[in-house]
Amino acid sequence: MTYLTVPISAEKIEAAKEQIISATKRKAEMLELRLDCLGGLDIEMAVELIRTAKKSELPILTTCRDEAEGGKNGYDENLRKNVLAQAIDAGVDFVDCEFENFCRKDFAEPVKKALAENPKTKLILSAHNFKSKFQNARKLHSEITALFPDCIAKLAYKAENINDCFEAFDILSENKNSIVICMGQAGIISRVIAKKLGTVLTFASLDENSATADGQISIEKMKKLCRFDSIDEATELYGIIADPVGHSIGPAVHNHCFAAEKMNRLYLPLLVEGGQRKFGEFLDNVLKRPWLGFKGFSVTLPHKTNALEYVTKSGNYIEPLAEKIGAVNTLVIGCNDRISAYNTDYAGALDALTGAMGIGRKHLKKVGCAVIGAGGAGRAIVAGLADAGAKVTIYNRTEKKAQNLALEFGCRHAPIADVKNTDAKIIINCTSIGMSPNVNASPVPKETIKPDMVVFDTVYNPAETLLLAEAKEIGAKTVGGSEMFIGQAAEQFKHFTQKSCDESTMRSAVAKAMRR
Ligand code: NAP
């Protein structure tokens, strides 16, 4: 069992008692009493808090951390070692002591004596590096377990990049009775994947404001967003590769759908910083470790072209239109580590459009389309429309980009100001004009819109842009950006699972995530 452990870290004992109640209500599986966080700590106070915690009937881990390893209040070592010994006597389940201190006879003596008298309490020996990786984490882990074979070795280090997490995974895969945590935003996945690898415990904070380490996420996020309760060693892993990634609604949407379809799969936010090189390193790391169970990825800014390049160089499969678009947003890892790469943006956009019009893609043939924008979204949509045989005119602020795109896909182009004269049946905004916070802007003058037009805005924040509101007023058919998001996510889900997700499930997941 991997205990989902909530640190109790208040400064005042009454507040710490409140935290215990709150953690129990939130279904923590273990309490970590960070006794060093209590102001004016003495033995009586420590024992009082342990007694209160025992009433929760949850397993208790006790720490009185040395300031040199991230502890609070600078308590002297006499107090710290005696607090730990008393905690053991009071019957805590786990006691966490710094490995370096435990190697010293004078420090270890009272703790060892208490452990000998209370064999039920398990000893965790920990080492921390708050700045970076350990020089050799594996060696340090072996050293701890060689010197103290009965202990649980715990390493906590800062991951400066997501690739730093793989050393932690390697140690955990070979040593179940261990704890290896990567701190920092790049290390968040280590806190979740820890459960799949069968580690002893992982930490989650009581709420967004009470994390005791960088990158510690709340128990609510851990349970709701990361499906913690359903993770086991057979869980297949997916995720969105991005930088930044925190804003992405992908994890909420895909995890909701996996849960609704009763699939043992987990979708993680994967912060991959450092461009093409680190992106390649990340995929290499994943492919070298099939036992991690990564099966697919969504890919977004700034890695869509990096994904294409990686797959091209490694001679894997690329969907022809994704190659033509020059961007990949979906990777699927199949048998023998073969990767298949797709672009579901164009399919999502086309499905949103044809769905709203009640037609099939083939009915787009020769239909006049005005596409505003020639960035990533514009490119994918132009490629999709051109592939379906539509008559596309591209309007873009930087005209040269419109010209190049038009040349590539056999379309026409015109200055962005000319969009006011368009007689196209379909108008699509692929720029960020009208996106929050600039919600009073529209890329198309209201007079241009006619009741028999279809107006599609790829912007999804706000859900109804000024362009869509005006188009609705005129009586034109409208399609919102969330429809495109739903379309591309639904396509990805199919690539990941070879199954369709129930449409209403996907819709409600997207709506809920966007509201949040
Ligand atoms: P991008 O590659 O950065 O391209 C941005 C485009 O917007 C370029 O054509 C740019 O013109 C134009 N633009 C930006 N500000 C402008 C302004 N003030 N006036 C005129 N044109 C302006 O971004 P992207 O990935 O294509 O995203 C574009 C939009 O699509 C965003 O609003 C995004 O939310 C939306 N999108 C939606 C989905 C979905 O699932 N619904 C998916 C992807 C993107 P220049 O070339 O002249 O710079």
Side-chain angles (χ1 to χ4, degrees):
M1 155 149 200
T2 300
Y3 293 101
L4 185 58
T5 305
V6 171
I8 304 300
S9 57
E11 241 183 276
K12 297 211 165 84
I13 185 148
E14 291 313 318
K17 288 179 182 175
E18 289 293 322
Q19 286 188 337
I20 290 172
I21 296 170
S22 187
T24 313
K25 271 194 198 144
R26 288 168 206 209
K27 304 247 180 314
E29 295 166 354
M30 170 137 72
L31 301 172
E32 182 199 34
L33 305 184
R34 279 288 305 268
L35 296 174
D36 55 291
C37 292
L38 287 171
L41 179 70
D42 57 22
I43 301 283
E44 288 70 41
M45 193 188 281
V47 173
E48 186 185 336
L49 192 64
I50 291 166
R51 282 208 189 107
T52 307
K54 285 189 96 173
K55 286 188 200 145
S56 72
E57 294 185 5
L58 292 173
I60 299 167
L61 156 65
T62 305
T63 316
C64 193
R65 183 69 68 230
D66 186 348
E67 205 172 26
E69 297 213 27
K72 301 274 185 269
N73 291 311
Y75 291 123
D76 73 45
E77 72 172 56
N78 263 334
L79 179 65
R80 284 188 282 107
K81 68 185 179 192
N82 289 325
V83 161
L84 292 183
Q86 280 294 326
I88 297 165
D89 285 341
V92 300
D93 303 271
F94 297 86
V95 72
D96 176 345
C97 178
E98 303 76 34
F99 167 61
E100 220 170 291
N101 288 335
F102 202 76
C103 287
R104 284 177 25 232
K105 202 170 161 226
D106 57 332
F107 190 96
E109 209 167 22
V111 181
K112 277 188 178 164
K113 184 169 171 287
L115 284 169
E117 288 162 7
N118 300 278
K120 275 195 179 154
T121 304
K122 294 190 186 78
L123 174 68
I124 297 173
L125 289 179
S126 56
H128 303 83
N129 186 340
F130 295 97
K131 288 200 181 121
S132 61
K133 288 204 304 177
F134 289 105
Q135 230 170 28
N136 190 337
R138 237 175 225 259
K139 192 165 159 236
L140 177 58
H141 183 277
S142 308
E143 211 174 299
I144 298 173
T145 50
L147 280 172
F148 305 103
D150 295 333
C151 82
I152 297 165
K154 173 186 160 194
L155 304 184
Y157 65 84
K158 170 94 182 261
E160 294 177 282
N161 186 275
I162 197 162
N163 289 303
D164 292 346
C165 295
F166 290 93
E167 194 174 9
F169 300 149
D170 290 343
I171 296 171
L172 286 177
S173 75
E174 290 156 16
N175 305 276
K176 293 269 177 268
N177 196 32
S178 293
I179 304 160
V180 190
I181 292 162
C182 297
M183 295 181 279
Q185 295 305 301
I188 288 177
I189 59 163
S190 74
R191 298 175 181 276
V192 187
I193 293 176
K195 183 162 184 200
K196 177 180 163 81
L197 299 178
T199 181
V200 179
L201 63 84
T202 186
F203 294 99
S205 63
L206 196 53
D207 53 44
E208 297 296 331
N209 304 317
S210 54
T212 53
D214 185 11
Q216 202 176 80
I217 59 175
S218 70
I219 184 163
E220 189 187 348
K221 261 197 189 148
M222 195 67 119
K223 280 178 176 272
K224 288 201 179 141
L225 194 61
C226 300
R227 308 192 67 205
F228 187 83
D229 294 337
S230 63
I231 301 172
D232 60 29
E233 62 181 346
T235 303
E236 289 184 355
L237 301 181
Y238 298 80
I240 174 154
I241 300 176
D243 174 18
V245 75
H247 65 287
S248 170
I249 63 170
V253 171
H254 282 282
N255 281 330
H256 181 95
C257 296
F258 285 154
E261 300 289 334
K262 299 201 172 14
M263 292 174 167
N264 189 6
R265 302 177 196 225
L266 169 67
Y267 187 101
L268 293 161
L270 302 164
L271 176 66
V272 178
E273 297 163 298
Q276 168 74 29
R277 194 167 64 84
K278 292 292 177 185
F279 176 86
E281 216 174 294
F282 175 75
L283 280 190
D284 288 346
N285 274 321
V286 163
L287 293 176
K288 260 189 247 160
R289 296 167 177 82
W291 44 266
L292 272 174
F294 272 106
K295 298 290 178 197
F297 301 100
S298 308
V299 183
T300 188
L301 291 175
H303 292 301
K304 288 186 183 184
T305 48
N306 294 338
L308 178 72
E309 219 168 291
Y310 184 93
V311 178
T312 308
K313 270 191 193 152
S314 53
N316 282 287
Y317 170 78
I318 308 170
E319 174 193 16
L321 204 49
E323 199 166 10
K324 224 172 157 192
I325 293 166
V328 154
N329 80 333
T330 309
L331 296 172
V332 179
I333 300 176
C335 296
N336 303 322
D337 295 343
R338 294 291 297 165
I339 302 180
S340 307
Y342 307 90
N343 186 312
T344 68
D345 282 335
Y346 84 85
L350 258 53
D351 288 350
L353 190 62
T354 53
M357 295 170 75
I359 59 169
R361 276 192 206 173
K362 62 176 189 229
H363 295 114
L364 288 170
K365 199 164 182 159
K366 297 212 163 90
V367 176
C369 298
V371 175
I372 311 157
R379 206 179 153 74
I381 289 178
V382 165
L385 289 171
D387 192 56
K391 256 171 41 195
V392 181
T393 306
I394 305 162
Y395 303 84
N396 194 49
R397 180 176 60 181
T398 311
E399 221 187 316
K400 187 76 190 153
K401 268 167 77 181
Q403 190 184 358
N404 290 344
L405 191 57
L407 205 64
E408 240 183 286
F409 290 99
C411 312
R412 293 194 306 171
H413 68 94
I416 192 164
D418 286 5
V419 77
K420 65 177 186 290
N421 303 320
T422 184
D423 59 357
K425 166 96 179 130
I426 297 169
I427 297 181
I428 308 176
N429 174 34
C430 299
T431 73
S432 45
I433 300 174
M435 190 164 89
S436 178
N438 303 315
V439 294
N440 293 322
S442 168
V444 185
K446 192 172 174 186
E447 312 76 70
T448 303
I449 303 167
K450 306 286 173 304
D452 64 345
M453 283 181 170
V454 180
V455 178
F456 174 14
D457 200 337
T458 63
V459 171
Y460 55 74
N461 180 18
E464 188 175 85
T465 56
L466 180 62
L467 171 63
L468 291 186
E470 289 182 344
K472 237 184 215 172
E473 239 177 84
I474 286 159
K477 199 170 265 215
T478 59
V479 187
S482 61
E483 292 298 314
M484 175 175 168
F485 187 89
I486 291 166
Q488 65 82 24
E491 277 294 305
Q492 276 186 339
F493 190 89
K494 259 193 244 167
H495 284 305
F496 290 157
T497 67
Q498 282 75 55
K499 271 180 146 186
S500 296
C501 180
D502 172 61
E503 195 185 322
S504 65
T505 304
M506 179 68 80
R507 270 181 192 286
S508 74
V510 171
K512 208 166 131 192
M514 282 186 175
R515 271 199 304 277
R516 218 183 288 144

